Amino acid sequence: MRWKEQVLVLQPYQPGKSKEEVKKQYGLDEIIKLASNENPFGCSEKVVSAIQDFSGSYALYPDGYTTDLRFELAELLKVEANQLIFGNGSDEIIQIIARALLRPGYNTVMASPTFPQYKHNAVIEGAEVREVPLIEGEHDLEGMLAAIDDKTNVVWVCSPNNPTGTYISNHKLLSFLERVPEETLIVLDEAYFEYVVADDYYDAVELIETYKNLIVLRTFSKIYGLASFRVGYGISNSDIIRSLEPVREPFNTNTLAQLAAKTAIQDQEYVKKCRELNRKGLEQFYSFCNEVGLSYSLSQGNFILIDFEVDSNEVFQYLMERGFIVRSGKALGFPTSIRVTVGSEEQNNGVIEVMKEFLQSRVTLTK
């Protein structure tokens, strides 16, 4: 087989261990998964009802234009229907962008560490990857600007950033957008947008009107609680969307997923409630970290990155054996930290207690 060289050096995405796998391995009755930034409260009851009441045919292909969801979302965002593109999760839109714009002889710029699929897809397409290290957990926008040249086709900006939870302020982002060349596509990944409460966060949809080389990515997988349905979307001007559409696979969002996402949009009170509960959950972790003296990143997402100053796999293993699945920072670029999804109040208290036990066990070992 004449494989692309870059495919042979890449590793496939490694999802976290499943709850059933951990139960079986360690003989546990209950597992709390706090590893993938899913919504611990699930989705709106309106979505559950809509799926249960679905009476359409499973034999027919889904709506290839995503019509009902498209117009519902356009109304919510106050944009035109032709300013939207839908994907099987926002992951697929990242793939679409990379396939459309990246190739040998050109490069792409991104922060490091950040969401790994930007780099993954760029490598597959044979483009040069230019990574600019974070500064104290935040995007080094000046460094990213310095890395851009006349062969830079895409620059990726993740705000709030995964895995740190840090965001870019309105002032800093505007200064950055002004100086990116017009021929370079700026991808502003806002997977955690609905969780943001910062006063100086920007309005990305408004920015699209001014910056014609900007696309904003969002998802229904996080605060809407629809990760299993895999629906993401991009917002941009109609010219960019028109250029990306031929790269999108036909019928890439399924019928039930479209129904679930459309119905979820109609329950913004649920979104508000989840945002408020998430803030309370983050405060639980902040209080714990302050109490025991652990460093952490202030987060605008639904997760927190905590530095235990030891091998993160050791913390990960200790928690998993006691029924809590989190994410080791080893694969995220933070080898002494773990990333913990904010759960319910009870789930947060549970994992915090086990974290305290881990810290105490370390103290005992050093005596």
Side-chain angles (χ1 to χ4, degrees):
M1 297 291 181
R2 299 182 181 89
W3 301 104
K4 286 183 176 180
E5 291 182 13
Q6 51 268 37
V7 171
L8 298 177
V9 301
L10 282 174
Q11 295 295 321
Y13 178 79
Q14 297 294 323
K17 287 180 176 288
S18 71
K19 294 170 71 171
E20 292 306 315
E21 181 183 359
V22 175
K23 276 185 182 180
K24 183 177 180 180
Q25 184 174 359
Y26 297 105
L28 298 169
D29 295 325
E30 183 180 9
I31 299 295
I32 305 298
K33 186 185 177 192
L34 302 171
S36 301
N37 304 339
E38 296 141 330
N39 187 338
F41 309 107
C43 65
S44 164
E45 283 299 320
K46 293 181 179 181
V47 173
V48 177
S49 296
I51 297 298
Q52 291 174 340
D53 294 342
F54 176 73
S55 59
S57 172
Y58 295 130
L60 301 178
Y61 284 109
D63 175 7
Y65 188 61
T66 330
T67 307
D68 290 346
L69 171 57
R70 179 181 300 273
F71 282 94
E72 191 79 37
L73 185 58
E75 175 63 25
L76 176 73
L77 300 174
K78 306 304 179 189
V79 299
E80 298 298 323
N82 63 3
Q83 290 183 258
L84 298 170
I85 185 171
F86 292 90
N88 187 1
S90 53
D91 286 2
E92 188 188 21
I93 303 178
I94 292 168
Q95 184 183 58
I96 288 170
I97 291 168
R99 190 175 180 188
L101 284 166
L102 298 180
R103 52 195 181 275
Y106 291 84
N107 69 73
T108 182
V109 173
M110 65 196 68
S112 178
T114 191
F115 187 53
Q117 291 304 104
Y118 311 147
K119 180 177 181 179
H120 186 93
N121 283 286
V123 171
I124 289 173
E125 300 303 331
E128 178 192 352
V129 176
R130 297 181 178 180
E131 297 179 281
V132 180
L134 300 174
I135 297 179
E136 297 182 354
E138 298 188 358
H139 278 61
D140 176 9
L141 296 178
E142 294 300 320
M144 292 174 71
L145 285 167
I148 295 172
D149 62 19
D150 62 354
K151 295 294 184 179
T152 304
N153 275 6
V154 183
V155 57
W156 308 87
V157 179
C158 189
S159 176
N161 187 42
N162 181 6
T164 58
T166 53
Y167 75 104
I168 300 169
S169 69
N170 181 64
H171 171 73
K172 289 181 178 179
L173 183 64
L174 289 179
S175 175
F176 176 78
L177 296 177
E178 288 287 348
R179 291 179 285 165
V180 175
E182 291 182 1
E183 62 271 17
T184 298
L185 180 67
I186 306 160
V187 182
L188 184 53
D189 189 344
E190 290 192 316
Y192 301 93
F193 155 75
E194 291 89 355
Y195 285 109
V196 176
V197 297
D199 292 335
D200 57 348
Y201 198 67
Y202 48 83
D203 185 331
V205 177
E206 285 189 359
L207 296 177
I208 288 167
E209 298 302 316
T210 303
Y211 301 96
K212 302 304 181 183
N213 58 337
L214 174 65
I215 185 169
V216 177
L217 307 187
R218 293 180 183 171
T219 182
F220 287 91
S221 294
K222 304 305 179 183
I223 206 166
Y224 285 102
L226 300 177
S228 66
F229 285 102
R230 309 302 298 125
V231 184
Y233 60 97
I235 321 158
S236 189
N237 64 71
S238 58
D239 290 337
I240 286 178
I241 299 299
R242 189 182 305 113
S243 296
L244 291 175
E245 276 290 351
V247 187
R248 180 179 62 83
E249 294 292 331
F251 311 115
N252 61 330
T253 56
N254 71 70
T255 298
L256 292 180
Q258 291 181 29
L259 173 61
K262 175 196 170 185
T263 308
I265 290 171
Q266 297 167 356
D267 195 354
Q268 290 301 307
E269 278 301 311
Y270 183 75
V271 172
K272 179 182 177 183
K273 176 185 175 182
C274 290
R275 178 167 52 246
E276 292 170 351
L277 290 171
N278 181 70
R279 279 290 114 192
K280 291 178 180 178
L282 279 170
E283 290 298 332
Q284 289 178 263
F285 286 105
Y286 294 162
S287 296
F288 157 68
C289 291
N290 291 334
E291 175 189 339
V292 299
L294 294 178
S295 299
Y296 60 95
S297 295
L298 289 170
S299 178
Q300 291 292 325
N302 67 333
F303 57 90
I304 183 170
L305 189 70
I306 304 174
D307 189 355
F308 279 78
E309 297 184 351
V310 298
D311 186 330
S312 61
N313 283 347
E314 185 180 342
V315 188
F316 165 80
Q317 187 67 31
Y318 187 95
L319 296 179
M320 183 168 62
E321 290 176 4
R322 288 152 183 83
F324 291 92
I325 308 175
V326 299
R327 194 69 188 271
S328 170
K330 274 281 180 77
L332 304 176
F334 292 90
T336 62
S337 298
I338 60 168
R339 192 192 68 193
V340 187
T341 303
V342 177
S344 67
E345 181 179 4
E346 181 181 5
Q347 291 171 341
N348 298 336
N349 284 332
V351 74
I352 286 170
E353 284 304 310
V354 179
M355 289 177 184
K356 288 179 178 178
E357 292 173 11
F358 171 80
L359 293 172
Q360 186 58 46
S361 71
R362 296 283 299 179
V363 172
T364 303
L365 285 172
T366 57
K367 288 183 178 179

